[in-house]
Amino acid sequence: MELFYAYEVSGRYCRLDAEESGHCVRVLRHRSGDEIDIIDGVGTLYHCRLTLDSPKGAEAEILEAQEGFGSHPYHLTVGCCPTKNNERFEWFVEKATELGVDRIVPLIGDHSERKVYKTERASRIALSATKQSLKARIPEIAEPVSVKDFIKSCHSERSEESLRLIAYCFEDEEAPRRSIMEVLKEMPGRPGQNITVLIGPEGDFSPEEARLALESGYIPIHLGPSRLRTETAAVTAVEAVYLWSLTL
Amino acid sequence: MELFYAYEVSGRYCRLDAEESGHCVRVLRHRSGDEIDIIDGVGTLYHCRLTLDSPKGAEAEILEAQEGFGSHPYHLTVGCCPTKNNERFEWFVEKATELGVDRIVPLIGDHSERKVYKTERASRIALSATKQSLKARIPEIAEPVSVKDFIKSCHSERSEESLRLIAYCFEDEEAPRRSIMEVLKEMPGRPGQNITVLIGPEGDFSPEEARLALESGYIPIHLGPSRLRTETAAVTAVEAVYLWSLTL
């Protein structure tokens, strides 16, 4: 099954941009009349008939729509400080997308070596991983924001509606950390449960960032005894939520 | 904390090969008298004093030994068919090592596109990931073997002593698959529990391979609803065992 991405769905028609059209028409040689599968990137799969086989801008008529195609029973935001080596962060974006994530927020921490992050490449990787893993919703790659500003921005959400976790490596006697599995197991696990996990940079979160998170209702967690690289920790958090959802 | 690997530990001395010696003496400029940390690759960390600072072959005297350094409470073998793209399999080796795995067996399946696999690069990656993640035991990268021969070779083990899982994607009405978390949760979870998980190639296991596995006491599992690449499935199996062990 090959999926294409429509930048526009209006009425009974889906429109593909030049890149998707070229792949559909020039590479895969689809012609008007062929039936193809198109996602809108926000959760719906459309089974369509190609009506305009232009490699610059193809159009297809919708025959059937399937909402929530390849969806998962939670809403997961991962805030993660991009790694020094870009490829490692992009690898995390690919794996998180395959497993199931809704929003990835590149965070700039007090101890981050990388203070700027461009999201274009990660967004392209999220799109191709979404199609490859047969999902209709492309995770949002947010613009970078500082750890402290991100934590403050969550203040609006009502905490009983969302589970907020922060993973750091140091011990704080006033706020002992529990394993992510222990915390998830205590969850009622409503479908669509909102979960946010914060993963720090190679140099970990600063004590000030950790304190602000705890004051804002974040639960301090650890990801087990192994010493994990930043991108491995981020994938482990997504795996924990994904595997936990299998037990609901 | 920087770890070095000793190819030989005899009596009170650890010996480093040319590569480790060069890194220790030339790159990090350690000199005789410096205290360094050395692993033997089979589970023990030695705190040592450098006695010979030759960049060709350094030696250090053992001051203190710590067995089971960075160990995990299970013994996990993952048999996985190498991916067409070598980097993806090597990425799995790195991540599995960081999390905790004991033995990785490259499998050649009926549907494998890759029929040969050289283990040198994967072994080097396992060594560096072991040191980077502060463990003393380097996972074994076994020589490649066919799926059927591997399954037959397990026959000797007594099944009550080891949990054997095979993950495939097709449905077999006679042997319905359960999620890996469901199966792990039923485990008594003795420390040192033996677990083997088989992950197929891009083209999945053949029905004959699956049948042979079930006849040999393997439990058929799935890794959840997401469609995962081979290397992502393999990492997800390691994550499931690692995260499950946090709940023991």
Side-chain angles (χ1 to χ4, degrees):
Chain A
M1 183 183 199
E2 174 93 24
L3 298 184
F4 302 97
Y5 166 64
Y7 73 95
E8 185 183 62
V9 178
S10 61
R12 289 169 38 238
Y13 289 89
C14 297
R15 290 177 184 80
L16 308 187
D17 65 14
E19 190 175 345
E20 292 287 304
S21 299
H23 184 62
C24 177
V25 176
R26 196 175 293 112
V27 180
L28 297 172
R29 302 182 170 286
H30 281 299
R31 292 293 171 260
S32 295
D34 289 1
E35 295 191 5
I36 60 174
D37 292 297
I38 300 177
I39 60 171
D40 62 1
V42 292
T44 301
L45 169 76
Y46 296 99
H47 187 62
C48 301
R49 175 175 291 109
L50 195 60
T51 49
L52 175 61
D53 55 15
S54 157
K56 291 270 175 5
E59 286 187 15
E61 182 180 13
I62 297 169
L63 304 174
E64 196 187 341
Q66 186 178 339
E67 284 178 22
F69 176 74
S71 64
H72 44 264
Y74 51 82
H75 187 283
L76 176 61
T77 297
V78 178
C80 180
C81 296
T83 50
K84 262 185 301 179
N85 173 341
N86 246 328
E87 277 190 359
R88 291 185 172 276
F89 189 78
E90 291 167 356
W91 163 81
F92 151 66
V93 170
E94 177 183 292
K95 296 316 171 197
T97 302
E98 279 181 56
L99 290 158
V101 68
D102 297 277
R103 191 157 157 261
I104 292 173
V105 185
L107 298 178
I108 310 302
D110 293 341
H111 297 170
S112 284
E113 295 195 38
R114 177 179 292 283
K115 301 289 187 189
V116 292
Y117 183 75
K118 294 196 168 25
T119 58
E120 294 89 328
R121 278 176 53 98
S123 298
R124 275 204 303 279
I125 287 165
L127 167 59
S128 72
T130 299
K131 294 193 296 178
Q132 195 273 336
S133 60
L134 303 186
K135 300 177 190 297
R137 191 172 185 290
I138 305 165
E140 174 198 353
I141 311 295
E143 284 305 308
V145 56
S146 80
V147 169
K148 286 167 181 163
D149 286 348
F150 179 80
I151 290 169
K152 289 176 193 147
S153 73
C154 302
H155 242 332
S156 50
E157 298 171 30
R158 284 173 42 224
S159 59
E160 64 268 22
E161 287 178 358
S162 71
L163 182 72
R164 301 202 202 105
L165 310 175
I166 180 168
Y168 48 75
C169 303
F170 53 86
E171 269 311 341
D172 176 349
E173 280 166 10
E174 288 160 25
R177 300 168 303 155
R178 291 184 301 155
S179 88
I180 187 168
M181 295 311 276
E182 205 179 335
V183 173
L184 286 171
K185 271 170 68 181
E186 288 172 4
M187 287 243 303
R190 300 190 301 287
Q193 172 72 50
N194 258 298
I195 303 172
T196 300
V197 186
L198 303 189
I199 303 293
E202 281 89 342
D204 207 353
F205 288 112
S206 69
E208 296 70 29
E209 290 168 333
R211 196 173 308 116
L212 180 64
L214 301 195
E215 287 164 6
S216 308
Y218 278 81
I219 299 170
I221 58 162
H222 65 74
L223 299 168
S226 289
R227 183 214 208 192
L228 306 175
R229 287 175 176 276
T230 295
E231 77 278 6
T232 317
V235 166
T236 298
V238 176
E239 293 269 13
V241 172
Y242 174 73
L243 291 166
W244 161 79
S245 75
L246 302 185
T247 66
L248 296 181
Chain B
M1 184 182 196
E2 174 92 25
L3 298 184
F4 302 97
Y5 166 63
Y7 73 95
E8 185 183 59
V9 178
S10 60
R12 288 167 41 235
Y13 289 90
C14 296
R15 290 176 183 80
L16 309 186
D17 66 15
E19 190 175 346
E20 292 287 302
S21 299
H23 184 62
C24 177
V25 176
R26 197 177 291 111
V27 179
L28 298 171
R29 304 182 170 283
H30 281 299
R31 292 293 171 261
S32 295
D34 288 0
E35 294 191 4
I36 60 174
D37 292 297
I38 299 176
I39 60 170
D40 62 1
V42 293
T44 301
L45 169 76
Y46 296 99
H47 187 62
C48 301
R49 175 174 292 111
L50 195 59
T51 49
L52 176 60
D53 55 16
S54 156
K56 293 271 179 358
E59 287 185 15
E61 182 180 10
I62 297 169
L63 303 174
E64 197 186 338
Q66 186 178 339
E67 284 178 21
F69 177 74
S71 64
H72 44 263
Y74 52 81
H75 186 282
L76 175 61
T77 297
V78 178
C80 180
C81 297
T83 50
K84 261 184 300 177
N85 172 341
N86 246 329
E87 275 189 1
R88 292 187 171 275
F89 189 78
E90 290 166 356
W91 163 80
F92 151 65
V93 170
E94 177 182 292
K95 295 317 172 195
T97 302
E98 279 180 56
L99 290 159
V101 68
D102 297 278
R103 192 157 156 260
I104 292 172
V105 185
L107 298 178
I108 310 302
D110 292 342
H111 298 168
S112 285
E113 296 196 39
R114 176 178 293 282
K115 300 289 187 189
V116 291
Y117 183 75
K118 294 196 169 21
T119 58
E120 293 88 328
R121 277 176 55 98
S123 298
R124 274 204 304 279
I125 287 164
L127 167 60
S128 72
T130 298
K131 295 193 296 178
Q132 195 274 337
S133 61
L134 303 186
K135 300 178 190 296
R137 190 172 185 290
I138 305 165
E140 174 197 353
I141 311 296
E143 284 305 308
V145 57
S146 81
V147 169
K148 286 168 181 163
D149 286 348
F150 179 80
I151 291 169
K152 289 175 194 151
S153 73
C154 302
H155 242 331
S156 49
E157 297 171 32
R158 282 169 49 220
S159 60
E160 65 268 23
E161 287 178 358
S162 70
L163 181 71
R164 302 202 201 105
L165 311 174
I166 179 167
Y168 48 76
C169 303
F170 53 86
E171 269 311 339
D172 176 349
E173 280 167 9
E174 288 160 28
R177 300 168 304 154
R178 291 184 302 155
S179 87
I180 187 167
M181 295 311 276
E182 204 179 338
V183 173
L184 286 170
K185 272 170 68 180
E186 290 172 5
M187 287 244 301
R190 297 190 303 288
Q193 172 72 50
N194 258 299
I195 302 173
T196 299
V197 186
L198 303 189
I199 304 293
E202 280 90 343
D204 207 353
F205 287 112
S206 70
E208 297 70 28
E209 289 168 333
R211 195 172 310 115
L212 179 64
L214 301 195
E215 287 165 4
S216 307
Y218 278 81
I219 299 169
I221 59 162
H222 64 75
L223 299 168
S226 288
R227 184 214 208 193
L228 306 175
R229 287 175 176 273
T230 296
E231 77 278 8
T232 317
V235 166
T236 298
V238 176
E239 293 270 12
V241 172
Y242 174 74
L243 292 165
W244 161 79
S245 75
L246 301 185
T247 66
L248 296 182

